[in-house]
Amino acid sequence: MTSKYRYRLISTGAGSQKYGPCAGCGEDPAEVFHQIEERAYTRYDGTDGWTSQGCHSLFGHRACLIGRRR
């Protein structure tokens, strides 16, 4: 079974002083982004939905986070 994923990428408006180093490269970004991964699933009644349970929520450089997508 192949899982489908979607991502939201949001600027936090702050840097590594508040959020720490980049999850991708370990360096200190001036602007930290938050990437939220969601996975598609089918409910028992047959309807489709999205969940972030068991998915990654990462902080770091925009390019590094995009590079960590499945």
Side-chain angles (χ1 to χ4, degrees), residues 26-66:
E27 294 182 12
D28 293 329
E31 180 182 15
V32 174
F33 287 83
H34 181 203
Q35 178 168 279
I36 302 152
E37 179 182 72
E38 296 178 312
R39 181 179 45 84
Y41 73 101
T42 303
R43 297 179 185 98
Y44 291 113
D45 65 3
T47 60
D48 295 326
W50 293 92
T51 182
S52 58
Q53 184 175 3
C55 294
H56 299 113
S57 178
L58 303 171
F59 292 87
H61 295 105
R62 184 179 194 278
C64 291
L65 297 178
I66 290 172

